[in-house]
């Protein structure tokens, strides 16, 4: 893991490069959800390597305020525009002139903004539970869940709270698996209380949303992805991307690959080799992957 200084030198981003850059292979850059970090892609990278792609460059980024990156100086600086600018800075620092982007949730919003501002950087895009409009239900649920967890005072209550919260997204998962998922976004102090692996100020902008809000769709941002091949994934149980939005995305980009990941919500677990294999085929040769899907 390395730290890369951003446009504000007082802020550095945590970046992990798996594989080898600079060998002619287009790097895959993974961007996690709104308050999440690179640990959501751990299983993906492991399966990716099993496909014989050990040296393929995969870049994992913790955006500012998440994981091991520094927090932003001001709450109002947390927005997708700044995140996209930071990703551009990181790619430049790594000497990457063209990349494939895999954006999950908020990470997909960042990918769309990057395509709009730096289209020549984009070799292809994979949107996962992400589109031109977020689902207000998911925003409110995230805010309420985080507030509930922070209000719990005993280790037993915290563990039970996380299990209830996650069980709906991952039905059939063992309690051990759910406990592991909780550790991706929080750590636990000596008294068993949950401490976030993100800047709590990230939740402040979510306070103004209501469950039944209808958010404005940013279709021009989605259209910016026409600069390169596109793959779209949606988890079956997600509350981040409405089904009707996903269907409209596929209508607007009929040549793009579109897949549903069954039996789970956000973030995707990437625990099935078939799903990772589909992504890998797109990363290696996006034009051929699209042609094979259309055949």
């Amino acid at each position: 893991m390395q730290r890369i200084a951003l446009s504000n030198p007082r802020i550095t981003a945590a970046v992990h490069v798996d594989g080898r850059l600079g060998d002619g292979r287009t790097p895959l850059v993974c961007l996690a959800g709104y308050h999440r970090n690179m640990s959501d892609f751990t299983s993906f990278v492991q399966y990716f390597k099993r496909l014989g792609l050990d040296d393929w460059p995969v870049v994992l980024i913790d955006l500012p305020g998440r994981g091991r990156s520094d927090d932003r100086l001001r709450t109002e600086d947390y927005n997708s525009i700044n995140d996209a600018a930071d990703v551009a800075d990181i790619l430049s620092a790594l000497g990457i002139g063209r990349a494939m982007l895999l954006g999950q949730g908020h990470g997909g919003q960042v990918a769309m903004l990057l395509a709009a501002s730096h289209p020549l950087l984009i070799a292809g895009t994979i949107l996962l539970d992400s589109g031109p409009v977020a689902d207000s239900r998911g925003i409110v649920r995230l805010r309420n869940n985080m507030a509930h967890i922070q209000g719990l005072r005993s280790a037993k209550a915290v563990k039970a709270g996380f299990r209830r919260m996650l069980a709906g997204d991952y039905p059939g998962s063992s309690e051990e698996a759910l406990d592991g998922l909780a550790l991706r976004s929080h750590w636990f102090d000596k008294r068993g209380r949950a401490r976030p692996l993100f800047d709590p100020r990230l939740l402040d902008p979510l306070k103004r949303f209501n469950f039944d809000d209808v958010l404005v769709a940013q279709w021009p941002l989605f259209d910016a992805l026409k600069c390169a091949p596109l793959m779209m994934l949606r988890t079956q149980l997600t509350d981040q991307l409405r089904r009707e939005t996903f269907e409209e995305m596929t209508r607007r980009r009929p040549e793009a690959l579109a897949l549903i990941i069954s039996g789970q919500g956000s973030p995707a677990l990437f625990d099935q080799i078939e799903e990772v294999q589909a992504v890998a085929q797109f990363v290696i040769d996006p034009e051929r992957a699209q042609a094979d899907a259309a055949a």
Side-chain angles (χ1 to χ4, degrees):
M1 201 269 296
Q2 57 184 296
R3 305 194 73 85
I4 294 179
L6 304 177
S7 56
N8 184 334
R10 297 170 63 184
I11 302 175
T12 62
V15 179
H16 174 74
V17 179
D18 205 284
R20 189 169 62 242
L21 292 171
D23 62 356
R25 297 176 174 181
T26 303
L28 174 63
V29 178
C30 300
L31 304 172
Y34 182 69
H35 66 301
R36 305 193 66 84
N37 58 71
M38 67 176 72
S39 65
D40 282 338
F41 296 103
T42 301
S43 294
F44 172 81
V45 173
Q46 292 172 347
Y47 277 102
F48 196 76
K49 287 183 174 183
R50 293 183 194 177
L51 296 172
L53 300 170
D54 298 52
D55 291 332
W56 198 283
V58 179
V59 180
L60 308 180
I61 298 174
D62 281 345
L63 294 170
R66 292 89 165 175
R68 289 169 286 186
S69 289
D70 294 333
D71 294 343
R72 294 199 184 278
L73 302 182
R74 303 183 304 169
T75 302
E76 56 265 34
D77 291 337
Y78 282 116
N79 58 66
S80 52
I81 294 175
N82 285 339
D83 287 340
D86 290 339
V87 172
D89 288 343
I90 291 168
L91 297 185
S92 177
L94 293 174
I96 297 173
R98 195 163 166 79
M100 181 79 64
L101 300 181
L102 167 53
Q104 185 157 212
H106 175 77
Q109 298 280 338
V110 173
M112 287 187 282
L113 280 161
L114 197 61
S117 59
H118 298 81
L120 296 181
L121 270 178
I122 312 301
T125 308
I126 304 165
L127 296 180
L128 172 54
D129 288 338
S130 183
V133 56
D135 190 338
S136 59
R137 297 172 298 182
I139 295 173
V140 173
R141 181 178 176 231
L142 169 62
R143 181 191 69 206
N144 292 346
N145 281 343
M146 294 301 97
H148 175 68
I149 290 297
Q150 288 305 113
L152 300 176
R153 291 293 177 260
S154 71
K156 183 178 180 181
V158 169
K159 182 172 288 189
F162 268 113
R163 288 174 178 175
R164 284 194 302 272
M165 184 179 77
L166 294 167
D169 292 322
Y170 309 101
S173 294
S174 66
E175 291 185 341
E176 181 181 9
L178 297 177
D179 293 344
L181 287 169
L183 289 172
R184 293 185 184 183
S185 61
H186 290 74
W187 63 278
F188 298 90
D189 64 20
K190 294 180 179 179
R191 292 184 292 177
R193 293 184 180 180
R195 304 300 183 188
L197 291 170
F198 57 88
D199 185 349
R201 295 179 299 163
L202 276 167
L203 302 178
D204 289 348
L206 308 186
K207 295 176 181 178
R208 60 187 176 89
F209 291 97
N210 295 311
F211 189 80
D212 56 354
D213 283 348
V214 178
L215 307 184
V216 177
Q218 301 294 323
W219 288 110
L221 277 183
F222 179 75
D223 292 338
L225 297 176
K226 291 180 179 178
C227 65
L230 174 64
M231 182 179 195
M232 298 178 292
L233 306 173
R234 181 179 183 270
T235 56
Q236 182 183 9
L237 304 179
T238 185
D239 59 4
Q240 295 188 18
L241 179 67
R242 290 178 182 265
R243 183 179 62 183
E244 53 266 33
T245 304
F246 185 74
E247 290 173 348
E248 177 62 14
M249 291 162 62
T250 60
R251 189 192 69 79
R252 290 179 180 236
R253 290 292 300 270
E255 86 290 354
L257 277 78
L259 299 174
I260 302 295
I261 300 176
S262 63
Q264 58 186 267
S266 303
L269 297 178
F270 283 120
D271 58 349
Q272 301 296 321
I273 190 66
E274 294 83 3
E275 298 155 3
V276 179
Q277 191 168 29
V279 173
Q281 289 172 346
F282 182 80
V283 171
I284 294 169
D285 193 340
E287 286 84 4
R288 180 176 177 181
Q290 288 186 154
D292 289 346

